[in-house]
Amino acid sequence: MIRTAFACLLSACALLATAPAQSQVIVHGTRQIFPGDQREITVRVENVGQRASLIQAWTDDGDKQVSPEEASTPFVLRPPVFRLDPGKSQAMRVMFTGADLPQDRESIYWLNVLDIPPTPEADASSTGNFLEFSLRTRIKLIYRPKGLKDVAQAARALTWSLQHDAQGWFLQATNPTPYYVHMSTLALRVQGKDFPSAEPPMIAPLSSQRYPISGLTAAPTGGNVQFSSINDAGGVTAQSVSLPVR
C-alpha cells in the first residue's frame, strides 16, 4: 500500500501544480540541523486536520523521485510508518548511522513526510464522487560537523561579481564558508531598478554559484546585489552588497 501511495503521489504532480492542496500534517521547522556530535535528533510532526492520517517518513540524498525503498542515506527514522490521529503529534527520531561524511563542511540531505489519507467510507466510494491525494512535505536535513563556527556570518561572507556569457548576464557568488547558504530572493539593483534572479538556488560550501538575471542588456557601471538568506530557524535576513566598479 505504501509503494502504491508513493507512486500515486508522483503521478499526481501535474494536477497538484494547478489545483491548490494542503496537507493536514505539518512538520515543525523549515529545516533540520543534525549536529555532528549527536547520534540522533527528534522532529515533531503534528496532525492539524479533522481526520487520522497514515504517515510515512524517509530521507533522500537529493533525488526527490526516488522511492522510500530505494533511497540511501546515512540516516534512519523511527518510526518510519505510523498513524497520527487528529490533534495529535508524534516525535520522530532521526538517527545517524555513522557514515564517513566530510568534517570540514556541511552535507545536505532531505527529510520526506508523506501524509496518506484514509480509505473513503463505503457510501462515499460507491458513488465515485471523491478525489484524494497523498501529500508530501520535503525539508532540508543538514549534517553539520562538530567544530564549525560562525554560521550566522555565512551569508555576509559571500563575495559577488557580475559576469556575462553567451546566455546573458549572471551574478556569480563565491561561498568561502563551510555552510550552505540558503537564498530566498536575489536581484541586481542598478539606479533604483531591480533585475531579479528567479528562484535562486542555495549555494554549497566552499563553492561558486551562477545566478542568471533577467532584463539586463548592457554592463552597468555599478550596482548593488540585493538578496535575502534563510537562517537555521527559518528567519529571513535581507542584505545589500555593492558590486565592484567595472
Side-chain angles (χ1 to χ4, degrees), residues 167-189:
Q167 282 71 48
W169 292 94
F170 61 90
L171 288 167
Q172 179 160 306
T174 299
N175 180 7
T177 78
Y179 302 102
Y180 281 89
V181 177
H182 310 274
M183 310 292 288
S184 174
T185 60
L186 174 64
L188 173 65
R189 180 168 297 174

Side-chain angles (χ1 to χ4, degrees), residues 57-103:
W58 71 98
T59 58
D60 68 68
D61 63 0
D63 182 0
K64 62 184 178 181
Q65 301 296 332
V66 68
S67 70
E69 295 81 6
E70 297 172 342
S72 178
T73 74
F75 299 95
V76 294
L77 300 181
R78 294 290 184 270
V81 180
F82 55 93
R83 173 191 169 99
L84 192 57
D85 290 326
K88 301 296 184 180
S89 63
Q90 170 76 45
M92 296 190 306
R93 299 166 61 201
V94 183
M95 295 175 285
F96 181 55
T97 62
D100 186 18
L101 297 181
Q103 295 302 300

